[in-house]
C-alpha cells in the first residue's frame, strides 16, 4: 500500500454511510468524474456493508498507490469475522440476501477487485481505480492527505448524507437519459446509412446492367462492321491476285511490285479485321469449342506447311521438335492451331536471327499438355509481359514490326475457352518463350472414383447469378458445391470444411479475393488447395503477382461451360497427382 | 478426242466488284461463268440454261440465298448449289444444311481449285 490517506472504523450502519460519503469525497479530490465518484462510493459502501453485517465490523482504509504516471486510488476493507470461501462469496450473481451479492456488484464497479478470505482468518477486500490521466487535477499525495484529514474531522449529518445521495441519483439518472437519447440518435443514423447503402447497391446494379448492355452493343457493332469490311477487302485481294497472275496480260517489274504491295496491304487489313471479329465473337460468347482427337505430330506437320510463307528471313530457322511420343489430344484442333500460328508468327516477326522452336510436352501429373514457342528474338521487358495479352494495348516496341496487337489477347481468350491458359517468359535481347497450356482431354470431368468421397468445391462470390451458373457447371461435373457470399465467410467455410478446390471472385465485401488467397496459403491445411480466380477485373502486373499462387485466373467474361469444367478437372487431377 | 466443253457456273452476287473478281478468276481457271445479281435473276436465268453449279451469295437484296437454294433444289432435279459468304459456315448454324445446298465456301477461299473440288 502506498500513501495512506485516511482510515475509518466500521462498526455500525452509520459507519457504512460515513465510509460511502468519504469514499465519494476522496474520489472527488482525486479528480474522478461525478459518475466515477458514485461508482467508487457505491462499491465501497457495498463492501463496507458486508464487513459490518457478516464480518462483525472492521476498518476501511484509503490510500494512493503507484507511480506518478499510473497512480491509483486503493481502498482496503478488512474485517476480523469468520471469513468465507471466496468461491461461495463471489460464486454467482444470483439475487438474494446472500453475502456475496453486494461483492459481485462492487466488483463490476471498479478497475481492480481482490478478495482475500479464508475460514477463521477474516476477510480483506481490495478495490482500486486508476486515477484519471490528463485531468489537470492530479493532486499531490500530501495535498490529498491533508484534505482527507480535514474530511475526517467533518460531520456526517444523516440528512446531508441523504441529500448527497439524492443528488448523485439524479445525476446518474440524467446521465442515463442522455445516453439513451444518444443511442437512439445513433440508431437512427445507422438506419439512414443502411438505407443509403441499399440505394447505392441498386444504383450499382443498374449501372452494371447499363455497362453490360453497352458492351453488348459495342460487340454487335464491331461484329457487323468487320463483316462489312471483309467483302471489299476480299475483292481487292482477288483482283490483285488476277493482276499478279498475269491473267489479262504482262506487268512490268514496277507494276508487279505495286500490285504486290496493294495485295499485301489488303491482306494485312483483312488479318486485322479477322482478329477483331474473332475477339468480338469470343466476347459475345459466340465461339463454340469443337473438340476432336488428334495427334500433335500431325498438327505440327500442318503448321509447318501453313507457316512456310511467313519464313522470309533466311537468318531464322523454324524448328518443330519431334512430338511422336505424345498421347493423342482431345481439343479443338483449329483453335490450338490458331493460337500456335499466332505465337509462331509473332516469334518470326520479332526474331532477326537465330531460331524459333516449337515443341510440346506432357505434364502427366496434371493431365495437361504444354505447347511452347521459343525464339531468340528481341524479348519483352518484364513490365510488359502480362500486358501483351490484354486487348488494345500495344507495347512500344511492337508496332514497327507489324501485327495487329490483337493476336495475343485472342490467344488468351481462346485458351481460356478450352480450359487452358497462355503465358510468356522472356528476357530482353535474349528471347521469349510463349506457352499454351491445355487440358489433355477437353471437358473431361473429374475422375469418379468408386466409393471414393465426392470432390468438394468451395465457391466464393458475392454475385448470386455467377454462383448459380458455376454451381450448375460444377455439379454436372460431379462435384459437391459449397457457397460463400464474401471473403470472410469463404475463409471460415474453407477452414471448417477443407474443400478440394476453391473458385473465387476478387472484388467482394468484407474480405477481397487477394486477402482470401493469402489467408488460405497461410493455413497449412489449405496452402496447397488449388484456387481458380474468376474475375471481371482487369489485372495489372502487381495484382497478378499477388495472385501467383492461384491455379488459374479466368476472366469472368470468358467463362464458358466446357472450358471451366475442363479447368476444374485439371485442377483436381493436379491434386490427385500430388496428394 | 475433242476437248470437253468447260463446265458452266452461275455466279450470283449483288456486289458488282466481288462478282467480277470471282467470274474473272473462275474463267481464268477454265470455267464458263454466267452471272446474276439477285435471287430473282438467278431463278430466271435457270430457265434459259442449266449450269453445273450455282455459286450463291447468302446475302442478296431480294430473296436470301437460303431461300433461293431451297427453290432450286426442292424438286430434286435442280443444279448443285454452293452457298458463298464473307461469313463463316459456323455463323449460320443449320441454315446451310437445311437449304439443300451441296456445300459452303467462304468468299476468300473461292478459287478455281476449290470450286473444282466441290464439283467432284
Amino acid at each position: 500500500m502506498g500513501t495512506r490517506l485516511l482510515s475509518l472504523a466500521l462498526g455500525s450502519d452509520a459507519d457504512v454511510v460515513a465510509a460511502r460519503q468519504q469514499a465519494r469525497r476522496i474520489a472527488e479530490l482525486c479528480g474522478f468524474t461525478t459518475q466515477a465518484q458514485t461508482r467508487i462510493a457505491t462499491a465501497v459502501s457495498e463492501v463496507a456493508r458486508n464487513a459490518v453485517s457478516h464480518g462483525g465490523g472492521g476498518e476501511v482504509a484509503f490510500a494512493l498507490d503507484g507511480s506518478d504516471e499510473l497512480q491509483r486510488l486503493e481502498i482496503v476493507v478488512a474485517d476480523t469475522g469468520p471469513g468465507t470461501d471466496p468461491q461461495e462469496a463471489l460464486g454467482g450473481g444470483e439475487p438474494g440476501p446472500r453475502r456475496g451479492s453486494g461483492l459481485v456488484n462492487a466488483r463490476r464497479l471498479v478497475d481492480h477487485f481482490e478478495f482475500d478470505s479464508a475460514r477463521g482468518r477474516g476477510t480483506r477486500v481490495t478495490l482500486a481505480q486508476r486515477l484519471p490521466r490528463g485531468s489537470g487535477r492530479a493532486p499531490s499525495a500530501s495535498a490529498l492527505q491533508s484534505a482527507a484529514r480535514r474530511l475526517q474531522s467533518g460531520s456526517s449529518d444523516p440528512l446531508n448524507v441523504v441529500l448527497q445521495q439524492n443528488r448523485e441519483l439524479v445525476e446518474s439518472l440524467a446521465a442515463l437519459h442522455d445516453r439513451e437519447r444518444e443511442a437512439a440518435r445513433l440508431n437512427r443514423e445507422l438506419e439512414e446509412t443502411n438505407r443509403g447503402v441499399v440505394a447505392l447497391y441498386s444504383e450499382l446494379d443498374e449501372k452494371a446492367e447499363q455497362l453490360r448492355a453497352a458492351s453488348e452493343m459495342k460487340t454487335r457493332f464491331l461484329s457487323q462492321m468487320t463483316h462489312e469490311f471483309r467483302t471489299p477487302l476480299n475483292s481487292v485481294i482477288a483482283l490483285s491476285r488476277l493482276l499478279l497472275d498475269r491473267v489479262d496480260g504482262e506487268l512490268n517489274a514496277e507494276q508487279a511490285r505495286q500490285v504486290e504491295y496493294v495485295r499485301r496491304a489488303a491482306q494485312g487489313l483483312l488479318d486485322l479485321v479477322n482478329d477483331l471479329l474473332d475477339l468480338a465473337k469470343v466476347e459475345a460468347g459466340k465461339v463454340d469449342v469443337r473438340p476432336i482427337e488428334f495427334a500433335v505430330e500431325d498438327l505440327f506437320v500442318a503448321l509447318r506447311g501453313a507457316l512456310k510463307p511467313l519464313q522470309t528471313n533466311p537468318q531464322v530457322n523454324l524448328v518443330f521438335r519431334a512430338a511422336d511420343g505424345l498421347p493423342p489430344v482431345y481439343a479443338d484442333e483449329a483453335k490450338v492451331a490458331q493460337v500456335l500460328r499466332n505465337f509462331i508468327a509473332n516469334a518470326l516477326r520479332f526474331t532477326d536471327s537465330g531460331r524459333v522452336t516449337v515443341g510440346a510436352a506432357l505434364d502427366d501429373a496434371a493431365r495437361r499438355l504444354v505447347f511452347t514457342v521459343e525464339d531468340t528474338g528481341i524479348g519483352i521487358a518484364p513490365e510488359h509481359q502480362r500486358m501483351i495479352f490484354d486487348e488494345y494495348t500495344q507495347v512500344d516496341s511492337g508496332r514497327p514490326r507489324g501485327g495487329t496487337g490483337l493476336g495475343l489477347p485472342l490467344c488468351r481468350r481462346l485458351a481460356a475457352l478450352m480450359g487452358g491458359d497462355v503465358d510468356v517468359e522472356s528476357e530482353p535481347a535474349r528471347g521469349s518463350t510463349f506457352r499454351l497450356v491445355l487440358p489433355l482431354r477437353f471437358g473431361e470431368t473429374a475422375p469418379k472414383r468408386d466409393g471414393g468421397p465426392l470432390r468438394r468445391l468451395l465457391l466464393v462470390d458475392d454475385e448470386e447469378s455467377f454462383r448459380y451458373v458455376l454451381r450448375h457447371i460444377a455439379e454436372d461435373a460431379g462435384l459437391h458445391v459449397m457457397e460463400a457470399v464474401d471473403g470472410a465467410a469463404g475463409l471460415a467455410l474453407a477452414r471448417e470444411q477443407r474443400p478440394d478446390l476453391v473458385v473465387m471472385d476478387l472484388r467482394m465485401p468484407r474480405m477481397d479475393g487477394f486477402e482470401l488467397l493469402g489467408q488460405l496459403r497461410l493455413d497449412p491445411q489449405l496452402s496447397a488447395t488449388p484456387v481458380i480466380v474468376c474475375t471481371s477485373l482487369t489485372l495489372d502486373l502487381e495484382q497478378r503477382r499477388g495472385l501467383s499462387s492461384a491455379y488459374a485466373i479466368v476472366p469472368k467474361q470468358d467463362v464458358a461451360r466446357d472450358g471451366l469444367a475442363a479447368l476444374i478437372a485439371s485442377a483436381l487431377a493436379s491434386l490427385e497427382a500430388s496428394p | 478426242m475433242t476437248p470437253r466443253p468447260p463446265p458452266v457456273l452461275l455466279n450470283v452476287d449483288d456486289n458488282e466488284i466481288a462478282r467480277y473478281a470471282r467470274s474473272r478468276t473462275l474463267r481464268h481457271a477454265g470455267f464458263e461463268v454466267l452471272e446474276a445479281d439477285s435471287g430473282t435473276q438467278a431463278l430466271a436465268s435457270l430457265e434459259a440454261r442449266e449450269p453445273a453449279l450455282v455459286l450463291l451469295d447468302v446475302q442478296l437484296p431480294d430473296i436470301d440465298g437460303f431461300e433461293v437454294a431451297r427453290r432450286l433444289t426442292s424438286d430434286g432435279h435442280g443444279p448443285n448449289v454452293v452457298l458463298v459468304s464473307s461469313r463463316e459456315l459456323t455463323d449460320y448454324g443449320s441454315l446451310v444444311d437445311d437449304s439443300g445446298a451441296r456445300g459452303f465456301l467462304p468468299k476468300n477461299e473461292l478459287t478455281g481449285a476449290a470450286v473444282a473440288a466441290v464439283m467432284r
Side-chain angles (χ1 to χ4, degrees):
Chain A
M1 201 159 192
T3 316
R4 201 175 172 92
L5 300 175
L6 169 71
S7 59
L8 292 171
L10 293 170
S12 64
D13 282 351
D15 292 337
V16 173
V17 172
R20 176 191 172 90
Q21 211 173 7
Q22 298 295 24
R24 208 196 64 76
R25 286 182 184 161
I26 288 173
E28 188 183 359
L29 286 173
C30 289
F32 286 107
T33 63
T34 316
Q35 284 192 38
Q37 292 167 28
T38 305
R39 275 207 310 277
I40 292 166
T42 306
V44 167
S45 117
E46 292 289 330
V47 178
R49 192 184 312 285
N50 253 310
V52 169
S53 52
H54 299 284
E59 187 196 52
V60 53
F62 298 87
L64 273 185
D65 191 25
S67 67
D68 285 350
E69 278 300 294
L70 271 170
Q71 273 197 318
R72 53 184 209 167
L73 173 64
E74 197 174 277
I75 302 140
V76 178
V77 179
D79 65 45
T80 50
T84 183
D85 178 13
Q87 220 33 53
E88 190 188 319
L90 297 166
E94 294 166 40
R98 308 177 46 222
R99 173 181 175 124
S101 63
L103 293 177
V104 171
N105 287 337
R107 181 158 66 169
R108 290 202 194 102
L109 292 170
V110 290
D111 286 346
H112 177 80
F113 181 94
E114 215 178 289
F115 184 85
D116 178 23
S117 179
R119 295 214 179 273
R121 279 206 293 108
T123 301
R124 181 186 168 89
V125 178
T126 308
L127 310 172
Q129 184 83 8
R130 218 169 27 249
L131 255 59
R133 262 188 299 182
S135 63
R137 295 180 55 189
S140 72
S142 57
L144 269 175
Q145 243 173 337
S146 59
R149 267 195 300 277
R150 277 198 304 280
L151 278 180
Q152 197 160 24
S153 56
S155 70
S156 56
D157 175 3
L159 186 61
N160 273 342
V161 172
V162 170
L163 284 176
Q164 174 66 30
Q165 292 202 359
N166 260 350
R167 266 200 303 279
E168 287 170 6
L169 193 61
V170 167
E171 271 169 24
S172 291
L173 284 174
L176 193 64
H177 186 60
D178 282 350
R179 284 196 184 187
E180 270 175 4
R181 273 220 309 260
E182 177 68 6
R185 190 185 63 75
L186 280 175
N187 255 342
R188 270 198 309 280
E189 218 170 85
L190 260 178
E191 268 167 29
E192 259 163 48
T193 308
N194 266 345
R195 269 198 298 278
V197 168
V198 169
L200 200 61
Y201 267 114
S202 79
E203 203 176 302
L204 277 176
D205 278 348
E206 220 169 274
K207 285 269 183 316
E209 186 48 49
Q210 284 170 6
L211 277 177
R212 252 197 299 280
S215 166
E216 240 166 64
M217 191 133 88
K218 178 208 75 183
T219 301
R220 260 205 309 279
F221 171 77
L222 208 58
S223 161
Q224 199 56 44
M225 283 314 293
T226 47
H227 275 303
E228 300 299 327
F229 286 142
R230 271 178 162 186
T231 301
L233 284 171
N234 276 325
S235 293
V236 172
I237 292 167
L239 291 166
S240 332
R241 173 63 49 208
L242 283 170
L243 285 166
L244 290 170
D245 287 350
R246 277 60 166 187
V247 169
D248 292 290
E250 198 46 56
L251 300 175
N252 67 34
E254 278 309 307
Q255 287 167 334
R257 187 171 174 182
Q258 291 158 15
V259 178
E260 170 58 23
Y261 285 163
V262 169
R263 191 199 62 77
R264 245 195 262 174
Q267 186 62 52
L269 198 49
L270 187 61
D271 288 345
L272 174 60
V273 163
N274 285 338
D275 279 356
L276 262 177
L277 188 61
D278 280 344
L279 260 180
K281 273 188 187 169
V282 177
E283 263 180 33
K286 281 189 181 155
V287 174
D288 301 323
V289 177
R290 296 193 185 75
I292 53 163
E293 195 165 282
F294 64 91
V296 176
E297 187 70 24
D298 293 346
L299 173 66
F300 280 4
V301 169
L303 277 174
R304 202 194 320 249
L307 289 161
K308 269 253 159 62
L310 287 179
Q311 283 176 267
T312 49
N313 181 353
Q315 306 287 314
V316 180
N317 244 336
L318 176 60
V319 182
F320 285 82
R321 286 217 182 91
D324 44 3
L326 295 170
V329 192
Y330 184 68
D332 189 323
E333 186 176 15
K335 290 188 178 59
V336 177
Q338 193 175 357
V339 173
L340 292 178
R341 220 168 25 233
N342 243 304
F343 282 178
I344 298 168
N346 260 333
L348 290 171
R349 195 176 302 132
F350 291 105
T351 306
D352 294 326
S353 67
R355 58 164 60 190
V356 172
T357 312
V358 186
L362 181 65
D363 178 357
D364 202 18
R367 306 272 299 150
R368 296 201 286 188
L369 198 63
V370 183
F371 291 95
T372 49
V373 176
E374 197 180 341
D375 67 49
T376 55
I378 60 169
I380 305 156
E383 64 270 27
H384 292 146
Q385 285 178 15
R386 197 67 215 193
M387 214 160 79
I388 55 173
F389 291 110
D390 291 334
E391 280 94 359
Y392 317 123
T393 62
Q394 181 93 46
V395 176
D396 295 341
S397 64
R399 205 64 208 168
R401 301 268 179 154
T404 62
L406 294 174
L408 292 175
L410 180 60
C411 289
R412 183 175 63 100
R413 293 196 169 237
L414 290 175
L417 273 178
M418 293 187 282
D421 198 7
V422 291
D423 62 19
V424 63
E425 262 174 48
S426 182
E427 206 179 313
R430 302 293 292 267
S432 309
T433 301
F434 282 84
R435 306 193 317 152
L436 164 66
V437 182
L438 281 184
L440 194 55
R441 301 202 66 79
F442 174 76
E444 187 177 74
T445 51
K448 289 199 181 79
R449 292 158 303 164
D450 292 330
L454 208 56
R455 291 298 205 177
R456 293 170 324 138
L457 178 145
L458 170 61
L459 178 56
V460 193
D461 196 327
D462 55 324
E463 196 187 325
E464 190 183 351
S465 55
F466 188 74
R467 288 204 313 273
Y468 175 84
V469 170
L470 209 109
R471 164 178 281 276
H472 280 263
I473 295 176
E475 284 182 345
D476 288 351
L479 275 84
H480 172 72
V481 179
M482 300 170 282
E483 293 180 26
V485 298
D486 61 49
L491 182 60
L493 203 57
R495 285 182 171 151
E496 183 190 309
Q497 295 288 335
R498 315 238 161 257
D500 298 295
L501 176 67
V502 177
V503 176
M504 66 172 202
D505 188 18
L506 286 180
R507 206 166 24 189
M508 290 184 288
R510 294 218 289 161
M511 179 188 290
D512 68 15
F514 294 97
E515 197 191 336
L516 175 55
L517 182 62
Q519 292 288 335
L520 292 176
R521 290 310 177 234
L522 286 178
D523 188 320
Q525 282 181 276
L526 295 166
S527 62
T529 308
V531 174
I532 297 175
V533 175
C534 275
T535 179
S536 47
L537 292 180
T538 305
L539 300 173
D540 61 31
L541 194 67
E542 200 52 43
Q543 288 172 315
R544 281 186 184 274
R545 281 209 189 109
L547 297 174
S548 60
S549 72
Y551 181 79
I553 302 170
V554 188
K556 255 188 193 175
Q557 58 270 28
D558 287 356
V559 167
R561 187 181 186 81
D562 295 334
L564 201 64
L567 194 59
I568 289 173
S570 82
L572 289 175
S574 77
L575 202 64
E576 214 138 283
S578 54
Chain B
M1 201 170 138
T2 51
R4 282 202 296 175
V8 180
L9 306 176
L10 174 59
N11 176 18
V12 189
D13 198 321
D14 61 319
N15 184 312
E16 183 191 348
I17 301 169
R19 192 174 66 239
Y20 166 80
R22 191 175 312 137
S23 292
R24 190 68 195 88
T25 304
L26 294 172
R27 280 178 192 137
H28 180 62
F31 296 97
E32 183 181 346
V33 185
L34 310 174
E35 291 189 350
D37 64 5
S38 68
T40 320
Q41 208 188 11
L43 290 168
S45 79
L46 289 169
E47 313 269 319
R49 192 164 176 202
E50 173 125 333
L53 187 72
V54 181
L55 296 171
L56 188 56
D57 186 18
V58 168
Q59 259 174 323
L60 290 171
D62 50 353
I63 318 168
D64 81 33
F66 300 117
E67 178 58 24
V68 176
R70 237 184 320 274
R71 291 194 202 171
L72 286 175
T73 56
S74 58
D75 64 357
H77 299 294
N80 287 318
V81 175
V82 168
L83 286 163
V84 171
S85 172
S86 62
R87 294 178 182 253
E88 283 138 42
L89 179 58
T90 51
D91 291 336
Y92 293 114
S94 62
L95 280 173
V96 173
D97 283 346
D98 297 345
S99 70
R102 176 172 180 158
F104 178 93
L105 281 174
K107 279 187 183 175
N108 60 335
E109 290 175 22
L110 245 166
T111 60
V115 170
V118 174
M119 291 181 71
R120 270 201 292 274

